[in-house]
Every structure is written in C-alpha cells, then in structure tokens.
Amino acid sequence: MGIIGWVLLALVVIGVIWGISSYNKLVFARNEINNAFGQIDVQLKRRYDLIPNLVEVARKYVQHERETLEAVIGARNQASQARDAIHGQPSGAGIGQIAALAAADGALGSALGRLMAVVEGYPELKADQNLRELSEELTTTENRIGFARQAYNDVVLDYNNKAQQFPEVIVANLFSFKPMEMLQSTESPEERQAVKVQF
C-alpha cells in the first residue's frame, strides 16, 4: 500500500472516530434531557398529589365554592394526563406534547390562583393548620418545579445546539436526532404572576 493508501485509510479512521464521538455526544445530550424531565416529573407528581389534599381541606369550609374546587381538580387531572403522555421518554415526545404539558400546567396554576383568592375570603380556612402546611409544601414544590424547568430548558438548548451545528448535524440527520422543544409558558402577562399559596 502506497502513501496515498495510508492517507486514505487514516482519513477513514479519523472519520469513523469522529462519527462515533459525535453520535455518543448526541446520545449523552438526549439522555440528559430525559434525566432533566425526570426531575420535573417527580415534582409535578408531588404537586398533583398535594392538590387533592388541599382541595379536600378547603372543601370543608367553602362548600358553596364547588365550581372553583372542581376547576382545580379538573385542571390537575388534565395536567396529570399531559405529564403521563410524556412520562418515561420525553426525548421521544411529539412536538405538541411539551406544549400541551406547558398549557395544562398553566391552566392548573390559574385554577390554583383562583382557589387561593377564594381562600382569602375565609379566615377560619386561612387559619387551618392542615391548609397552611399543604400550602407551604405546594409553594416549595412550585419553586422546585421552576428550577427543574430551567435545568430542563438548559439541557434541551445544549442538545439542540449540538444537533444543529456543523459537523454534528450530519450525524444528527443520519440517525434522526430531532430538535427538542423547550418548556415555555403559555400564559398571558396577567397570568404570569406567581401563584401565592401562603396564608
């Protein structure tokens, strides 16, 4: 084999090593997305588990506010279903599934805000120890969800950058590494106000 043969062989070996390295980087980045969503998933589950308890405590005091209580439970169920649709494999989620989760989560936040406004009108409910404890847990969970969303969006950005930059875009296209969607708020500016659950 002549010098040209060795050069060609070296170029092929370098190309294969580069392709394997690029593929592994993309797989690693995609797995980071799954992990980051897993952190959101844990906090959302905690949130969805707390809400029925919060509603049950409130129900004792505000029975004639049935519509508000049902709206919270309905929004919680829709958000839980949107979460379940993505659960386990967020990197394989369809384009609209992440947006559906964000929309359902926004609707739940809005319903919780209305519940908290109702609670303000009931001093005996505001004084209930169980409600205060649940509200504190929910506030902590909301903060954790916010941090987990930020971490998720950071790893999605990193993955999308890797999958769309040359020369990795070649490997991304060859092996169907599709761009991922970030979690974005679907709320209006008025709805972007934080839900206050402290009494």
Side-chain angles (χ1 to χ4, degrees), residues 83-135:
R83 179 191 136 251
D84 290 345
I86 300 170
H87 180 74
Q89 199 60 10
S91 62
I95 296 286
Q97 288 177 310
I98 296 292
L101 175 60
D105 204 45
L108 177 57
S110 181
L112 279 173
R114 286 191 301 276
L115 175 61
M116 293 309 138
V118 166
V119 167
E120 287 295 318
Y122 294 87
E124 62 279 358
L125 176 56
K126 285 173 57 175
D128 186 285
Q129 180 66 29
N130 289 333
L131 184 72
R132 285 199 312 262
E133 288 172 6
L134 287 167
S135 297

Side-chain angles (χ1 to χ4, degrees), residues 112-183:
L112 279 173
R114 286 191 301 276
L115 175 61
M116 293 309 138
V118 166
V119 167
E120 287 295 318
Y122 294 87
E124 62 279 358
L125 176 56
K126 285 173 57 175
D128 186 285
Q129 180 66 29
N130 289 333
L131 184 72
R132 285 199 312 262
E133 288 172 6
L134 287 167
S135 297
E136 188 174 314
E137 284 185 52
L138 190 56
T139 299
T140 301
T141 301
E142 292 292 334
N143 290 335
R144 289 177 182 167
I145 290 170
F147 291 127
R149 281 184 184 143
Q150 179 61 49
Y152 174 83
N153 283 343
D154 288 345
V155 295
V156 167
L157 176 64
D158 184 53
Y159 166 81
N160 285 342
N161 286 339
K162 285 178 180 162
Q164 295 171 1
Q165 291 177 346
F166 185 81
E168 280 79 12
V169 70
I170 296 167
V171 174
N173 287 336
L174 282 173
F175 293 100
S176 299
F177 286 92
K178 307 250 186 271
M180 291 292 301
E181 192 172 347
M182 290 190 186
L183 281 171

Side-chain angles (χ1 to χ4, degrees), residues 5 17-18 37 39 47 51 55 78 80 82 88 103 106 109 111 114-115 136-137 151 167 175 178-179 181 189 193 196:
I17 291 171
W18 167 82
F37 187 82
Q39 301 305 315
R47 177 195 211 194
I51 289 170
V55 168
Q78 285 182 329
S80 183
R114 286 191 301 276
L115 175 61
E136 188 174 314
E137 284 185 52
F175 293 100
K178 307 250 186 271
E181 192 172 347
Q193 302 300 317
K196 292 190 177 185

Side-chain angles (χ1 to χ4, degrees), residues 3-153:
I3 192 143
I4 294 177
W6 285 108
V7 169
L8 289 176
L9 180 62
L11 289 175
V12 168
V13 169
I14 289 170
V16 168
I17 291 171
W18 167 82
I20 291 169
S21 175
S22 294
Y23 180 85
N24 288 341
K25 286 178 188 176
L26 290 168
V27 168
F28 180 80
R30 185 176 58 196
N31 289 341
E32 282 187 321
I33 291 171
N34 292 337
N35 178 55
F37 187 82
Q39 301 305 315
I40 294 172
D41 194 47
V42 167
Q43 297 307 323
L44 289 176
K45 171 128 180 43
R46 178 174 167 71
R47 177 195 211 194
Y48 302 153
D49 289 347
L50 287 170
I51 289 170
N53 296 332
L54 185 71
V55 168
E56 195 55 41
V57 169
R59 188 182 313 271
K60 296 176 193 174
Y61 296 94
V62 293
Q63 292 184 10
H64 63 281
E65 298 285 353
R66 182 177 164 186
E67 184 178 309
T68 302
L69 298 173
E70 288 176 357
V72 170
I73 292 298
R76 177 244 182 227
N77 291 342
Q78 285 182 329
S80 183
Q81 288 172 355
R83 179 191 136 251
D84 290 345
I86 300 170
H87 180 74
Q89 199 60 10
S91 62
I95 296 286
Q97 288 177 310
I98 296 292
L101 175 60
D105 204 45
L108 177 57
S110 181
L112 279 173
R114 286 191 301 276
L115 175 61
M116 293 309 138
V118 166
V119 167
E120 287 295 318
Y122 294 87
E124 62 279 358
L125 176 56
K126 285 173 57 175
D128 186 285
Q129 180 66 29
N130 289 333
L131 184 72
R132 285 199 312 262
E133 288 172 6
L134 287 167
S135 297
E136 188 174 314
E137 284 185 52
L138 190 56
T139 299
T140 301
T141 301
E142 292 292 334
N143 290 335
R144 289 177 182 167
I145 290 170
F147 291 127
R149 281 184 184 143
Q150 179 61 49
Y152 174 83
N153 283 343

